[in-house]
Amino acid sequence: YNVLHLHIVDSYSFPFASKSRPKLTSGAWTSKDVYTPDDLKMLKNVAMTQYGIRILLEVDMPGHAYSWGIGYPEIVANCPGYGNNIDIGHVNAVPLDPSSKVTYDVVEDVLREMLALVAPQEFVHLGGDEINIGCWNTTSKVIEWKEKNQYTWSEVIKLFYRSVWNRTIGSNDSPGGVTKVVTWEDLYLNRTTGLFDFNSPNVPFSNTEAIIEVWTNTKYLSDVVTAGNDGLYAAGWY
């Protein structure tokens, strides 16, 4: 075991003390429960030099983003009545706002800053699990933007990820030297059938751009690999 998958932000807490976006730690549990840039750099150096362990950062998006919105409310969907009776509550149901330019500005700043601290790094995990369309569907700003552009929800998700990719990993100055992303299986599953649809025009990444991490079904790993994709196996380890 020589990789630490560090899920560094999630719905309930944003503990990375970003210098470029300092208001984000308003979403940490407390002002003391944070990773400073020096903490992250130290963790990477100790892990690699003393133990041979590589750090894989997961910056989960666009779902599980409530904590981002404590400091920057303009970048998350506004659906206060949605999700109170599902999963583990409303907080876990709030995604980033894909219609806002500011969203992509903040995401780019965070990725560039974090990845520079753990460089050189080949991969970054961009989440993609449990995106709550229902929250977007009750956020008037997102609905108006979607309808104006005649997007489907699958197209919205792809647009979100391609925008993030083009501004970071796919750009001429990829942060931290990252060349490929890792995402959860959800981005490749048809929402109606529950089956993989790797040939869909709305799949956000090609098989040369992303590794697919399987977490809900042990069978999915063979489906991923048979289709010509690289896979990671997390099912059964939850």
Side-chain angles (χ1 to χ4, degrees):
Y1 294 115
N2 65 342
V3 178
L4 172 63
H5 177 160
L6 178 58
H7 199 320
I8 193 166
V9 299
D10 205 348
S11 304
Y12 291 85
S13 180
F14 197 105
F16 175 62
S18 168
K19 290 184 177 180
S20 60
R21 297 287 179 170
K23 290 190 292 184
L24 284 168
T25 47
S26 300
W29 289 112
T30 76
S31 60
K32 294 182 179 180
D33 295 317
V34 297
Y35 296 101
T36 67
D38 285 342
D39 289 336
L40 195 55
K41 189 182 296 184
M42 178 273 293
L43 179 62
K44 178 261 178 180
N45 288 337
V46 170
M48 181 55 73
T49 60
Q50 294 187 27
Y51 299 100
I53 295 173
R54 181 158 47 87
I55 305 294
L56 172 65
L57 294 181
E58 180 180 352
V59 188
D60 201 358
M61 59 181 78
H64 300 296
Y66 179 88
S67 63
W68 298 63
I70 303 299
Y72 292 88
E74 67 272 29
I75 72 170
V76 298
N78 182 20
C79 59
Y82 178 78
N84 290 325
N85 298 313
I86 65 167
D87 197 21
I88 49 176
H90 168 70
V91 171
N92 205 45
V94 178
L96 293 169
D97 181 348
S99 69
S100 171
K101 179 184 179 297
V102 181
T103 298
Y104 302 100
D105 293 340
V106 173
V107 168
E108 179 179 1
D109 288 347
V110 167
L111 286 178
R112 288 191 174 279
E113 186 175 358
M114 279 189 186
L115 292 172
L117 295 168
V118 295
Q121 173 63 273
E122 189 175 357
F123 309 109
V124 62
H125 202 307
L126 296 184
D129 61 323
E130 300 178 322
I131 303 168
N132 254 295
I133 302 299
C135 179
W136 279 341
N137 217 14
T138 55
T139 301
S140 58
K141 178 174 175 286
V142 175
I143 287 293
E144 289 169 8
W145 167 79
K146 173 182 177 282
E147 292 180 351
K148 178 182 177 182
N149 292 282
Q150 298 184 317
Y151 294 138
T152 65
W153 288 121
S154 294
E155 288 171 333
V156 167
I157 293 170
K158 179 179 181 179
L159 182 148
F160 173 86
Y161 274 109
R162 294 318 297 180
S163 297
V164 172
W165 171 273
N166 290 336
R167 293 179 61 153
T168 55
I169 294 89
S171 67
N172 291 328
D173 58 338
S174 176
V178 170
T179 58
K180 188 176 280 192
V181 301
V182 183
T183 69
W184 296 110
E185 71 198 34
D186 307 43
L187 295 179
Y188 301 86
L189 290 170
N190 184 295
R191 290 182 172 274
T192 302
T193 65
L195 301 174
F196 284 113
D197 191 358
F198 296 107
N199 296 317
S200 167
N202 294 319
V203 168
F205 299 109
S206 71
N207 60 4
T208 62
E209 294 172 336
I211 298 171
I212 301 171
E213 186 162 12
V214 167
W215 68 282
T216 64
N217 189 323
T218 55
K219 176 185 178 297
Y220 284 168
L221 185 65
S222 65
D223 293 340
V224 166
V225 174
T226 300
N229 298 274
D230 289 332
L232 283 173
Y233 186 65
W237 295 100
Y238 260 64

